[in-house]
Amino acid sequence: MESGVNRLGAKFGREKDRAADRYHPLICHLLDVAAVATEIWDQALSPHARRLLASGLGLSPDSARAWAAFIAGAHDLGKACASWQSVDVHHQQRLSGTPLRATAAAEHPNHGLVTTVVLQDYLERLGMASAVASRIATASGGHHGYFVLANSAGQRSEAYRGEGKEQSALWANARRELLDSLRTTVAAVGSLPTGTMPNPAAMLLAGLVSVADWIGSADQFFPWAMPGTEADVSDTAAYFARARKQAKAALEGLHWTRLATEDQPLTPEVLGLPTGATYRPLQREALEIASNAREPRFVIIEAPMGEGKTEAAIILADHWRAAGFRGTYFALPTQATANQLHARVKTYLERRLPNADVNLLLVHGGIASADQDLLPSAVDDTEGDGNVAAGAWFLPKKRSLLGEFGVGTIDQSLFSVLQVRHVFVRLFGLAGKPVVIDEVHAYDTYMTELLERLLQWLGALQAPVVMLSATLPTERRAKLLEAYARGSGGAVPAASDAQSVPYPRATWLDGSGAHATTFETSGTSRRTLRIQRLNDSIDSVATTLSGKLANGGCAAVICNTVGRAQAMFTELKARLDCEVGLLHARFRAMDREAREKRYLGMFGPPWAGGERPPRFVLVATQVVEQSLDLDFDLMITDLAPMDLLLQRSGRMHRHDRERPKGLEEPVLHIRWPGQVPPEFDRGSAHVYDPHILLRTWHALQGRDAIAIPGDVQELIDQVYASDECPPGDPLIDEMWHETWAKMQARKGDEEREARERRLGTPTRLVPLDSLLRNPREEDAEDLHPALQALTRLAEPTIDLVLLDANSPLQGRVERELSRQKVRELLERSVKVAGWPGVPALATQEIPKGFASRAALRRHRMLVLDEAGAGRAGNVRFTYHRDLGLLLTRLEEEVPLSSPLPESQRA
């Protein structure tokens, strides 16, 4: 009688009337996944990630490769148990003639737990140390996104539920036979792992297991090896050889194969700079650091706006890639900045790798992220056990960081250090990959805490990092350097190290410590920015624009809230004799994208080829203040924190071009509170901390100009000093003390929230389940509002799909949605933040079709009437083509977003 091992199934037919031979044998699935892990090791892992895994296992690279394949293949060993096999209605017929019996249990045991228990015992019997065996088995069994330790009698009893005394030995023999066959086939023989498997190696291994399982579960890459097919289950060596070929084809189909390095020097034109351009001083400094520093792994670049920081970062990343690191991920603060940089990186890659098939992803929650040229449409977007394949490759969810190159928002990388399921997949995607983080100053206390933990993990995973900022406080820079140094195991730089070099500067860590250098700025960045104060009224803004634009010119009016922007746009459009535009985050995705493209074309750099209007006013919110290459002749802004005012000013006189008469000098007009102590706009004080606004107001008192770069560091440190330091003015000291106390309390709350939710440290060896405590799904509805709003401790947000009354999409939302329909729905989505919109929408039922697709899982839907209005709870949502989304509480009949004329409320 045969043992029955080859008749155990990993996947079964969905319909009950299918034949008993409609299944994929378990041994084949284990070999499929082992084959994928082998190809990932050869093709997708950087040499640094391979060395990290080999060191963690305590093996040579070749032995580590084989053991990694074995550990990945063993992930589904837990399906070789009586209760799990009973899920197939044909189990009795399939196992007839064998000693094995499948017995249904009242509740099936977690097969990840079974894998962990059995694999740990197996490894210990081979002679492996118990501590190492436990960490390896836990990583293998955690492929469903969380770790289960097999460290109690109750858990071990749970793993064998349903087998009974008579069958337990037979099932134990079957599992041992599977593992012996798998280990022999993949050549995981000879030396046993002896390393301690520190946290970085363990998380990297867990990520490899999950990713290999997802690819190995895709039926189009690995057809079922049922009886009657050409697959010979009894000849595991032949099957594995065939599976290796299929795995290689799968990685090629996913555009996940190794790219050749470049021999030619990197030129300004390849970077996308204008023909004939030369490198700026900062970019030459980046070349110097890349070429001569001793293995630079962490670089902070601080330079004025428009100085070419992005190109300097690409220079460093390009050097690292030539040195064996893998790809690059660019993390930006907003979707708009990610969209623009995606186009720039695409140009660079097309010129740098003209003969390669390059995988470049846009990674964020907006509509553009669903529009990927290289997504394999044959892969389904669901994941699970047995017959359900895992896929949606490289969509902006758990697999968003696996692609070779990515440009996206900062939240996608910060998810790598949150207590969420499959967090190790994100870490796996970042291991050995250069990461560029832009606008470092733009993140609040909560995000900064997460960012420091991310830097620790990136250092531990040997992922080099470039951080970019125009305005970084001295204390913040020191903490960032310390975080990366702790993670990488290097010496933590002293507070005085590399801190005395003046701004602008490049600071870096390498094998010999911390270093810094300053450099010259180019002509457009070295300037005197004049400051003019305006009354905080729309009348004052309209009058100023009418006078200043008399001879033509392009102006930006930046508001701190959507409501202020909508109100400003409405009034200026009625009062100015030129075109007025509006850009904010409360437009439908397709409308916002169209507006972004239009304004980037109009106000972009001269060499971009767009047609600049002779006279135009763009009213916008913060969406234009960071990373966007926009150039205005004149700027009017709400009072905002000092660093953001400087950022906004960087969109003015950014490029060398002829300016209209009267606008030859860069002048920042600030809407200024008239009284002392200052009374800040309620919306602005909600968006920004009142104490930081007060410090900014105080720092600018009596100042009519800012020297850039000379005054930048002093002003930033003055506003973001860590001590209270009241100015001694009795008129404002009371407000100073009050707002300081509230800010410190809020910062304390945010620090506690971040420390509770972030992943454990990479350097402290702890059980894996305590490293990843109580992991949640990224889009879980019952998460704290901070996680519902991604990684910011901000107002909760809800994504709302707005459909017109006659839209044919209405009839589709309760059914299964195609990729095209998902895209069309996402195009019509808009983000709603805070009260009263979120409470009103939170009770809305999510359509069935939305719930089944990851990209729409947290979206609500509202059908608008012919007037463009819809209702949820006691809130009316009105979509206006020029203004975007308006909210009205029905009992008040006053739009809460802005005081608009009655004609525009419907």
Side-chain angles (χ1 to χ4, degrees):
M1 178 183 295
E2 63 175 292
S3 67
V5 167
N6 290 344
R7 298 196 194 181
L8 299 178
K11 307 177 188 180
F12 310 113
R14 297 187 182 188
E15 289 86 24
K16 291 184 178 181
D17 58 352
R18 281 182 173 167
D21 60 0
R22 174 64 180 163
Y23 71 100
H24 189 46
L26 180 56
I27 182 60
C28 295
H29 178 59
L30 303 190
L31 291 170
D32 293 340
V33 174
V36 174
T38 303
E39 291 302 318
I40 290 176
W41 181 285
D42 291 345
Q43 294 290 338
L45 279 184
S46 72
H48 303 82
R50 292 198 295 267
R51 285 197 292 270
L52 185 63
L53 266 176
S55 175
L57 290 167
L59 296 169
S60 68
D62 287 342
S63 293
R65 173 178 178 267
W67 272 95
F70 167 72
I71 295 164
H75 75 291
D76 263 356
L77 177 69
K79 292 181 178 179
C81 66
S83 63
W84 200 93
Q85 291 296 313
S86 72
V87 301
D88 175 26
V89 295
H90 300 291
H91 63 86
Q92 291 182 345
Q93 181 180 350
R94 189 163 38 78
L95 294 177
S96 63
T98 77
L100 298 176
R101 296 292 177 266
T103 307
E107 183 179 351
H108 298 302
N110 178 331
H111 75 263
L113 171 63
V114 180
T115 295
T116 304
V117 169
V118 174
L119 183 57
Q120 179 176 342
D121 289 346
Y122 178 84
L123 295 175
E124 289 178 4
R125 288 194 184 98
L126 290 177
M128 194 179 299
S130 178
V132 181
S134 174
R135 294 179 76 79
I136 289 175
T138 302
S140 182
H143 58 283
H144 287 288
Y146 57 92
F147 299 126
V148 181
L149 291 191
N151 57 2
S152 72
Q155 286 171 314
R156 289 177 172 270
S157 174
E158 166 78 6
Y160 303 124
R161 184 197 299 146
E163 291 184 358
K165 185 179 296 185
E166 180 180 338
Q167 282 280 304
S168 61
L170 295 171
W171 281 104
N173 288 335
R175 288 186 285 264
R176 187 164 52 250
E177 184 179 337
L178 280 169
L179 288 173
D180 284 341
S181 179
L182 175 65
R183 188 166 65 93
T184 302
T185 303
V186 303
V189 294
S191 300
L192 291 175
T194 59
T196 59
M197 287 301 294
N199 295 340
M203 297 295 269
L204 187 55
L205 180 61
L208 173 63
V209 171
S210 283
V211 174
D213 180 32
W214 292 340
I215 297 175
S217 296
D219 297 346
Q220 69 272 28
F221 297 137
F222 297 93
W224 290 10
M226 300 167 291
T229 66
E230 63 181 33
D232 183 358
V233 176
S234 64
D235 188 347
T236 56
Y239 184 90
F240 186 62
R242 184 163 55 253
R244 285 284 306 277
K245 294 179 181 179
Q246 292 169 315
K248 184 177 181 180
L251 264 62
E252 289 175 350
L254 295 174
H255 304 276
W256 213 21
T257 52
R258 194 172 307 285
L259 296 175
T261 57
E262 305 79 33
D263 297 327
Q264 300 299 318
L266 185 61
T267 64
E269 188 172 358
V270 169
L271 283 177
L273 298 176
T275 301
T278 58
Y279 283 129
R280 294 184 177 185
L282 166 58
Q283 294 155 357
R284 291 196 297 270
E285 194 61 50
L287 285 168
E288 184 74 13
I289 294 171
S291 302
N292 299 325
R294 182 184 167 193
E295 294 187 354
R297 294 291 178 84
F298 181 55
V299 182
I300 300 176
I301 294 175
E302 300 166 80
M305 299 64 65
E307 193 58 32
K309 293 186 291 294
T310 299
E311 288 77 16
I314 294 175
I315 288 169
L316 288 164
D318 188 272
H319 172 82
W320 282 323
R321 211 177 76 79
F325 292 92
R326 187 75 195 270
T328 307
Y329 180 71
F330 297 84
L332 284 297
T334 66
Q335 292 182 13
T337 57
N339 290 345
Q340 188 185 47
L341 185 59
H342 178 267
R344 294 170 66 185
V345 172
K346 183 178 181 182
T347 298
Y348 150 69
L349 291 173
E350 287 172 345
R351 297 176 179 179
R352 189 60 164 156
L353 301 166
N355 301 316
D357 193 1
V358 181
N359 192 341
L360 171 64
L361 297 167
L362 185 60
V363 186
H364 62 62
I367 179 57
S369 63
D371 188 20
Q372 306 290 352
D373 293 336
L374 298 179
L375 283 175
S377 58
V379 181
D380 186 27
D381 74 339
T382 56
E383 65 180 59
D385 296 332
N387 59 295
V388 182
W393 281 98
F394 308 130
L395 282 172
K397 282 293 182 183
K398 296 169 184 174
R399 292 179 272 289
S400 61
L401 302 180
L402 294 174
E404 181 95 0
F405 293 93
V407 180
T409 46
I410 183 65
D411 58 278
Q412 298 299 318
S413 54
L414 291 181
F415 267 126
S416 303
V417 289
L418 280 175
Q419 297 283 337
V420 293
R421 290 179 64 167
H422 287 109
V423 64
F424 38 75
V425 170
R426 288 183 176 271
L427 292 173
F428 176 80
L430 292 174
K433 174 182 292 182
V435 177
V436 177
I437 304 176
D438 200 1
E439 308 291 0
V440 179
H441 60 276
Y443 307 124
D444 56 26
T445 301
Y446 178 77
M447 293 184 72
T448 299
E449 288 287 321
L450 297 182
L451 182 59
E452 290 176 11
R453 181 53 51 88
L454 175 64
L455 289 178
Q456 290 182 17
W457 274 97
L458 292 175
L461 292 168
Q462 300 185 18
V465 175
V466 188
M467 307 193 86
L468 308 177
S469 179
T471 51
L472 188 63
T474 299
E475 293 180 8
R476 178 77 59 84
R477 183 191 323 115
K479 288 185 177 181
L480 297 174
L481 288 166
E482 177 184 353
Y484 191 88
R486 288 190 184 281
S488 62
V492 176
S496 60
D497 286 354
Q499 297 288 356
S500 60
V501 174
Y503 177 92
R505 70 178 69 82
T507 311
W508 68 94
L509 294 175
D510 65 12
S512 61
H515 314 272
T517 185
T518 189
F519 47 85
E520 293 294 324
T521 55
S522 59
T524 55
S525 297
R526 189 171 56 250
R527 62 184 180 176
T528 297
L529 177 68
R530 290 180 52 215
I531 303 295
Q532 286 194 1
R533 296 163 180 79
L534 301 180
N535 291 332
D536 189 11
S537 68
I538 293 179
D539 282 343
S540 178
V541 173
T543 301
T544 300
L545 290 170
S546 294
K548 294 290 183 180
L549 300 182
N551 298 310
C554 297
V557 179
I558 303 181
C559 303
N560 290 341
T561 66
V562 173
R564 280 170 72 89
Q566 289 172 324
M568 178 66 70
F569 168 80
T570 301
E571 290 296 328
L572 293 183
K573 188 176 181 181
R575 297 171 61 167
L576 298 180
D577 60 351
C578 67
E579 187 176 357
V580 180
L582 179 64
L583 182 63
H584 57 68
R586 215 189 288 166
F587 283 103
R588 292 184 303 183
M590 61 183 182
D591 298 333
R592 177 175 171 176
E593 183 178 20
R595 286 169 179 265
E596 287 176 1
K597 287 182 177 179
R598 182 189 182 209
Y599 298 138
L600 286 170
M602 293 168 65
F603 308 118
W607 58 84
E611 185 175 348
R612 190 177 181 88
R615 203 152 69 109
F616 195 101
V617 175
L618 177 64
V619 180
T621 57
Q622 298 90 333
V623 295
V624 302
E625 78 185 8
Q626 295 171 6
S627 297
L628 294 177
D629 195 355
L630 299 171
D631 180 8
F632 297 96
D633 304 309
L634 170 71
M635 181 170 290
I636 299 175
T637 175
D638 285 353
L639 181 65
M642 180 68 73
D643 53 334
L644 301 184
L645 288 178
L646 291 171
Q647 283 291 325
R648 293 175 186 185
S649 75
R651 312 310 130 189
M652 179 175 52
H653 288 230
R654 187 178 180 91
H655 298 293
D656 287 327
R657 60 174 11 126
E658 186 177 352
R659 306 290 170 180
K661 184 179 178 180
L663 301 177
E664 296 90 352
E665 290 184 276
V667 181
L668 184 66
H669 298 76
I670 304 177
R671 298 173 68 179
W672 198 258
Q675 63 274 53
V676 178
E679 182 176 338
F680 302 122
D681 167 70
R682 185 175 63 178
S684 298
H686 182 72
V687 174
Y688 301 119
D689 190 283
H691 186 73
I692 298 300
L693 289 176
L694 180 61
R695 280 182 177 260
T696 300
W697 175 87
H698 181 259
L700 291 176
Q701 284 288 85
R703 184 183 279 270
D704 60 6
I706 298 174
I708 298 176
D711 293 341
V712 170
Q713 192 68 62
E714 177 189 353
L715 287 171
I716 294 301
D717 286 341
Q718 185 177 345
V719 170
Y720 288 97
S722 59
D723 56 354
E724 184 176 0
C725 192
D729 184 341
L731 291 177
I732 64 173
D733 275 5
E734 181 180 353
M735 182 179 182
W736 193 284
H737 290 303
E738 180 183 345
T739 56
W740 166 265
K742 290 181 179 179
M743 183 181 75
Q744 293 303 108
R746 177 188 55 77
K747 289 176 67 175
D749 290 341
E750 292 187 11
E751 288 172 355
R752 284 188 292 273
E753 290 281 1
R755 289 167 183 168
E756 174 64 26
R757 296 177 191 177
R758 68 187 182 184
L759 193 65
T761 176
T763 55
R764 183 184 174 194
L765 192 64
V766 296
L768 294 182
D769 69 330
S770 63
L771 184 69
L772 180 59
R773 312 174 310 274
N774 189 31
R776 312 297 300 280
E777 287 291 353
E778 292 176 6
D779 56 1
E781 282 291 331
D782 59 343
L783 282 179
H784 187 281
L787 280 188
Q788 291 182 21
L790 300 183
T791 47
R792 295 177 184 267
L793 267 182
E795 291 183 308
T797 63
I798 284 182
D799 292 295
L800 176 64
V801 174
L802 297 173
L803 295 183
D804 297 331
N806 58 353
S807 172
L809 290 171
Q810 286 188 57
R812 300 287 309 174
V813 298
E814 296 299 331
R815 293 178 280 169
E816 185 174 349
L817 295 166
S818 67
R819 291 167 64 90
Q820 179 59 34
K821 296 303 180 187
V822 169
R823 179 177 301 176
E824 291 176 18
L825 289 163
L826 288 174
E827 287 176 340
R828 291 157 176 79
S829 68
V830 62
K831 284 190 178 296
V832 178
W835 182 88
V838 167
L841 292 171
T843 59
Q844 297 285 103
E845 186 175 347
I846 298 175
K848 292 180 181 178
F850 287 16
S852 64
R853 298 303 296 258
L856 289 166
R857 197 167 291 154
R858 292 186 62 246
H859 287 60
R860 270 64 170 189
M861 187 185 76
L862 203 60
V863 178
L864 305 178
D865 58 24
E866 293 183 357
R871 175 175 176 172
N874 66 336
V875 178
R876 184 175 67 185
F877 296 80
T878 306
Y879 193 79
H880 192 283
R881 65 181 182 279
D882 293 329
L883 294 170
L885 185 64
L886 309 176
L887 278 66
T888 309
R889 287 191 66 202
L890 295 180
E891 62 266 32
E892 296 178 1
E893 285 299 324
V894 176
L896 297 176
S897 56
S898 60
L900 296 173
E902 181 65 32
S903 62
Q904 294 187 348
R905 294 182 190 172

